[in-house]
Amino acid sequence: MNTLGDVGEFGLIKRVTADREQPPTTLLGPGDDSAVVAAPDGRVVACTDVLVEGVHFRLDWSAPDQVGRKAAAANLADIAAMGAVPTALLVGLACPRDTPVETLEGLAAGLWAEAASAGAGVVGGDVASGPAIVLSVTALGSLQGRVPVTRAGAQPGDVVALCGRIGWAAAGLDVLHRGFRSPGAVVNAHRVPEPPYAAGPQAAQAGATSMIDVSDGLLADLAHVAEASGVTIEVSTAALVVPPRLAEVASALGVDPLGWLLTGGEDHALVATFPPGAVPEDWTVIGGAAAGDAVVLVDGAVRDGAAGWDHFAT
């Protein structure tokens, strides 16, 4: 079995970039000192996310291509949350020199596949030696002439709406932590999120006043909107439907599935605020924004416990 030490940095790059198709926005792809990506709008939306082995993923829980897809999705969802269309990914990879090439090719295949699903390309990156696998992905996107939708625009009287699934990844993680590998639909939700990429530009066109992707938990991420906008965000649990599959898993594990929906991260759904009557089809109204302190209320009260994932919480 060949390792990274056997093929070297440039041998690996050739393996994972050969014969890959690029979208029209890629004017110059991998192979030079830099890539060239079209930006007809004159602006580029950019974000970066880091996935660390043992923190964000485990290769005994996920296949390499699933890890690659997850790393890409975390960034592509951030682009969509600005109301933009993804155009390109740049990938920084650190890993031990004895990492099997097959593992790295799987990671690359997942990155390419998820990028293609959002209409983007993988245009470049870097490879370095490290004690564990670390993927640092930078995503670029185009606003296509639209104003970016930030976290700071929510207004009192707006409605809060959600697009995409929540709670599934958290449920899958709980299942894996209990030592199980099924049900597959729930576990795979942790392995590979399914962000609604097209819903971001759709929301922007509909007049969304603020938007964010649910990466750390619905309440945690809505708290960022509340703080940036200076409003109170109110969430109604009556509007959050627990899917039957999650209810079954929660019953088997002896937990409240509502906790997964409110505080579970890594599904990368989109949550946004809209003026009344402007919510697009496929979005579900789950609450509203009101004048007041920058807090998130659940059924009229601040919910006890953690609002979501925090890397540095004790």
Side-chain angles (χ1 to χ4, degrees), residues 129-170:
S129 176
I133 296 176
V134 178
L135 278 169
S136 177
V137 180
T138 296
L140 308 178
S142 171
L143 289 164
Q144 298 180 332
R146 293 182 292 273
V147 175
V149 184
T150 71
R151 303 174 181 183
Q155 299 294 317
D158 283 349
V159 296
V160 177
L162 176 75
C163 187
R165 64 187 187 185
I166 56 174
W168 285 79

Side-chain angles (χ1 to χ4, degrees), residues 45-244:
V45 180
C47 67
T48 298
D49 210 73
V50 178
L51 269 70
V52 180
E53 184 178 11
V55 177
H56 300 93
F57 67 90
R58 287 173 43 172
L59 288 174
D60 59 331
W61 284 356
S62 302
D65 66 300
Q66 293 172 328
V67 176
R69 294 196 75 121
K70 184 175 184 176
N75 288 272
L76 296 167
D78 282 337
I79 297 296
M82 300 299 293
V85 174
T87 56
L89 295 181
L90 294 160
V91 182
L93 169 69
C95 62
R97 70 185 309 275
D98 62 356
T99 304
V101 171
E102 183 180 10
T103 297
L104 300 178
E105 289 178 330
L107 291 172
L111 285 160
W112 281 96
E114 194 66 24
S117 76
V122 180
V123 300
D126 190 28
V127 181
S129 176
I133 296 176
V134 178
L135 278 169
S136 177
V137 180
T138 296
L140 308 178
S142 171
L143 289 164
Q144 298 180 332
R146 293 182 292 273
V147 175
V149 184
T150 71
R151 303 174 181 183
Q155 299 294 317
D158 283 349
V159 296
V160 177
L162 176 75
C163 187
R165 64 187 187 185
I166 56 174
W168 285 79
L173 183 60
D174 272 3
V175 168
L176 288 166
H177 273 305
R178 303 290 182 99
F180 302 108
R181 297 293 187 271
S182 62
V186 177
V187 172
N188 286 335
H190 164 73
R191 292 168 173 156
V192 181
E194 297 180 0
Y197 300 124
Q202 176 196 40
Q205 292 169 350
T209 53
S210 69
M211 186 158 46
I212 192 169
D213 87 303
V214 183
S215 56
D216 294 326
L218 179 64
L219 300 186
D221 290 314
L222 280 175
H224 297 314
V225 174
E227 181 177 3
S229 299
V231 297
T232 294
I233 299 289
E234 301 173 343
V235 175
S236 170
T237 58
L240 299 176
V241 178
V242 177

Side-chain angles (χ1 to χ4, degrees), residues 17-48:
T17 59
D19 302 320
R20 297 286 188 176
E21 292 187 7
Q22 295 280 0
T25 49
T26 302
L27 305 182
L28 180 65
D32 220 305
D33 289 326
S34 296
V36 180
V37 180
D41 177 87
R43 300 167 296 171
V44 175
V45 180
C47 67
T48 298

Side-chain angles (χ1 to χ4, degrees), residues 162 166 218-219 222 234-243 256-263 284-288 296-303:
L162 176 75
I166 56 174
L218 179 64
L219 300 186
L222 280 175
E234 301 173 343
V235 175
S236 170
T237 58
L240 299 176
V241 178
V242 177
D256 180 1
L258 187 61
W260 290 333
L261 272 64
L262 291 173
T263 67
T284 300
V285 174
I286 61 169
V296 178
L297 304 179
V298 179
D299 296 333
V302 175
R303 187 176 187 271

